[in-house]
């Protein structure tokens, strides 16, 4: 399907695929002490007493520029530490890069790791425990939003620092709603309302779609379904830990997707990251996009007059998902670990957190940051940002479980089969359950 050529492609999504190969390779590394770059207590300290740490930041364009400004300020206030941002890859490929780095023993001091990858990455003995770091941080740990805390906690320990916080909501094109004479949705709407509105706002002749859905089978495809599962009373993993907890609820959630497909009101984007889907929305040809705050800068730049509303639900209760990402610290010797801890502690503090959120499309990690004047100004300036922030009050996160990539992959294939009309929701979920349950039985 054609997409408008006049709209520049947005920055790559931060929500892309949890590649199974990388997760399995990290599993093989777990438990085996891999020699790091550090060889002694003073390793990493230059002749001038300055410590250099390597940061694989994973960012592109706007976010990378924002981080460079923060790093420059950090180095001015911490002249004994230098942060090298030269290495690494985009966040979408970080899991594979880190896997290879841990195998070779030449890994960074800090890397931007997707929260849903942390359970596998943290199985490496080279990952530094940050429990004491966040416990002594400038912002009290309990002031952080629950999703930010939960995403970096495994077995009661903090295994990384929260780097990015978001939540899903629905962004609406006000012009398309007005043209069709359809009222803008409000908080408390239901999924059957969403399907109905998407159908009314689909205009085949004009090339307009009611909504869109990523169709690559990756994590960007999958994570939009979890709020439906949770709202219906299901969970990603059952209480016994040996099977999925959404066999029944997944069918009902997939039926919503099937309804969108049946009415031909959903644009299915076959490419990873949903870039084409966002191009269609920013080109004024899609009425509703389920997305996060990271898309707001691009939507404003495209000149879309927009309205943000919480996700619909089945129950009428607020239901959404947050997908926090992390700054994961690796052990390259005591001096570099101390410097890396100092940097992530500084980066999480409200003054820096608000700058990062405002400039890179994140939400404030803590209530302290949310209350700062700069964030309040940003909220007034950016339509819909307050809706995303409020959604954090009831947002949930995916489980920190090493089998999650396989569960996600199985559900991704189920979603593709329904999006492409190849399978019924019930049959798709049977296949998903068979594969995901088998993954949960693998000793780890």
């Amino acid at each position: 399907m054609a997409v408008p050529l006049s709209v520049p492609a947005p920055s790559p999504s931060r929500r892309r695929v949890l590649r199974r190969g990388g997760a399995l390779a990290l599993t093989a590394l777990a438990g085996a002490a891999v020699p790091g770059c550090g060889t002694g207590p003073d390793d990493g300290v230059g002749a001038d007493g300055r410590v250099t740490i390597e940061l694989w930041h994973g960012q592109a364009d706007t976010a990378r520029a924002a981080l460079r400004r923060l790093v420059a300020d950090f180095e001015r206030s911490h002249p004994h530490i230098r942060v090298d941002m030269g290495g690494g890859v985009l966040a979408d490929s970080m899991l594979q890069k880190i896997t290879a780095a841990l195998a070779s023993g030449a890994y960074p001091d800090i890397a931007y790791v997707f929260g849903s990858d942390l359970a596998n990455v943290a199985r490496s003995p080279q990952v530094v425990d940050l429990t004491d770091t966040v416990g002594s941080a400038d912002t009290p740990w309990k002031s952080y939003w629950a999703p930010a805390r939960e995403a970096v906690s495994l077995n009661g320990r903090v295994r990384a620092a929260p780097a990015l916080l978001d939540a899903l909501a629905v962004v609406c094109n006000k012009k398309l709603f007005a043209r069709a004479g359809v009222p803008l949705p409000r908080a408390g709407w239901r999924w059957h309302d969403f399907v109905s509105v998407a159908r009314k706002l689909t205009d085949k002749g004009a090339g307009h779609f009611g909504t869109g859905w990523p169709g690559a089978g990756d994590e960007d495809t999958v994570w939009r379904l979890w709020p439906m599962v949770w709202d219906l009373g299901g969970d990603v993993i059952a209480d016994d830990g040996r099977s999925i907890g959404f066999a029944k609820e997944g069918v009902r959630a997939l039926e919503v997707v099937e309804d969108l497909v049946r009415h031909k009101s959903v644009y299915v984007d076959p490419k990873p990251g949903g870039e084409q889907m966002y191009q269609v929305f920013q080109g004024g040809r899609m009425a509703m996009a389920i997305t996060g705050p990271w898309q707001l800068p691009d939507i404003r730049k495209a000149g879309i007059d927009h309205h943000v509303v919480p996700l619909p639900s089945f129950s009428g209760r607020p239901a959404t998902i947050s997908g926090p990402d992390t700054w994961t610290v690796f052990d390259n010797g005591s001096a570099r670990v101390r410097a890396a801890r100092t940097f992530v502690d500084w980066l999480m503090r409200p003054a820096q957190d608000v700058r990062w959120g405002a400039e890179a499309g994140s939400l404030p990690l803590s209530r302290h940051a949310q209350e700062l004047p700069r964030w309040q100004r940003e909220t007034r300036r950016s339509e819909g940002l307050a809706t995303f922030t409020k959604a954090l009050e009831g947002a949930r996160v995916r489980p920190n479980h090493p089998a999650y990539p396989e569960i996600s992959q199985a559900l991704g294939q189920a979603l593709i089969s329904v999006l492409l009309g190849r399978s019924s929701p019930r049959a798709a979920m049977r296949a998903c359950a068979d594969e995901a349950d088998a993954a949960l039985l693998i000793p780890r």
Side-chain angles (χ1 to χ4, degrees), residues 130-154 156-163 326 344-345 348 365-368:
L130 296 182
T131 306
D132 292 341
T133 300
V134 300
S136 60
D138 180 65
T139 298
W141 184 237
K142 290 184 179 179
S143 175
Y144 283 80
W145 291 106
R149 299 195 309 268
E150 293 167 9
V152 297
S153 300
L154 284 82
R157 307 295 296 177
V158 178
R159 303 310 313 276
T326 78
V344 297
D345 176 20
M348 288 190 299
L365 295 175
S366 69
R367 290 173 175 82
H368 285 193

Side-chain angles (χ1 to χ4, degrees), residues 47-86:
D48 59 356
R50 196 179 192 191
V51 179
T52 297
I53 55 175
E54 187 175 5
L55 170 65
W56 289 1
H57 56 82
Q59 308 302 309
D61 303 328
T62 302
R64 178 177 56 208
L67 189 59
R68 285 194 185 281
R69 290 190 289 271
L70 284 164
V71 165
D73 287 350
F74 172 80
E75 290 180 338
R76 279 192 288 271
S77 61
H78 297 75
H80 61 293
I81 300 175
R82 176 178 176 270
V83 181
D84 180 358
M85 291 180 59

Side-chain angles (χ1 to χ4, degrees), residues 106-388:
Y107 41 83
D109 298 284
I110 307 169
Y112 185 94
V113 173
F114 286 154
S116 42
D117 285 335
L118 182 62
N120 278 300
V121 174
R123 302 184 80 193
S124 167
Q126 306 309 319
V127 172
V128 175
D129 189 306
L130 296 182
T131 306
D132 292 341
T133 300
V134 300
S136 60
D138 180 65
T139 298
W141 184 237
K142 290 184 179 179
S143 175
Y144 283 80
W145 291 106
R149 299 195 309 268
E150 293 167 9
V152 297
S153 300
L154 284 82
N155 302 318
R157 307 295 296 177
V158 178
R159 303 310 313 276
L164 174 142
L165 189 60
D166 56 20
L168 284 182
V170 180
V171 183
C172 304
N173 182 318
K174 293 169 72 172
K175 182 178 179 180
L176 293 183
F177 272 79
R179 181 182 296 170
V182 176
L184 289 167
R186 297 181 179 181
W189 62 324
R190 311 298 178 95
W191 281 109
H192 64 80
D193 298 321
F194 181 88
V195 172
S196 175
V197 169
R199 185 178 185 181
K200 291 175 182 176
L201 289 167
T202 297
D203 185 339
K204 297 178 185 177
H208 293 167
F209 296 88
T211 191
W213 202 288
D218 56 16
E219 183 63 16
D220 204 35
T221 304
V222 166
W223 77 309
R224 288 164 167 80
L225 212 70
W226 293 130
M228 300 188 201
V229 167
W230 293 327
D231 185 40
L232 290 164
D235 211 339
V236 179
I237 301 172
D239 291 341
D240 62 10
R242 300 172 61 83
S243 61
I244 60 171
F246 59 97
K248 179 178 67 174
E249 295 82 3
V251 173
R252 180 69 189 94
L254 288 174
E255 286 173 349
V256 172
V257 178
E258 184 184 46
D259 285 343
L260 294 169
V261 173
R262 183 185 301 115
H263 300 318
K264 296 181 173 57
S265 57
V266 59
Y267 176 92
V268 180
D269 186 349
K271 293 189 176 181
E275 283 93 342
Q276 288 187 177
M277 180 183 79
Y278 292 129
Q279 281 184 314
V280 174
F281 184 84
Q282 292 165 31
R285 292 171 46 204
M286 183 182 294
M288 300 182 293
I290 300 175
T291 188
W294 68 86
Q295 278 297 322
L296 290 181
D298 286 329
I299 291 169
R300 289 198 303 268
K301 186 177 180 180
I304 300 296
D305 187 11
H306 62 281
H307 166 73
V308 181
V309 64
L311 283 185
S313 68
F314 295 104
S315 66
R317 299 184 298 269
T320 193
I321 185 170
S322 180
D325 295 330
T326 78
W327 297 119
T328 301
V329 176
F330 299 87
D331 188 350
N332 278 306
S334 59
R336 289 169 65 174
V337 167
R338 283 195 300 272
R341 287 179 186 269
T342 299
F343 177 67
V344 297
D345 176 20
W346 180 87
L347 203 58
M348 288 190 299
R349 295 180 182 180
Q352 287 75 245
D353 177 30
V354 164
R355 287 179 57 191
W356 172 246
E359 297 174 25
S362 179
L363 297 176
L365 295 175
S366 69
R367 290 173 175 82
H368 285 193
Q370 181 190 7
E371 293 165 358
L372 290 183
R374 176 162 184 179
W375 186 258
Q376 295 302 313
R377 290 195 301 271
E378 184 68 17
T379 298
R380 290 191 295 271
R381 184 182 75 90
S382 181
E383 171 65 31
L385 192 57
T387 301
F388 282 111

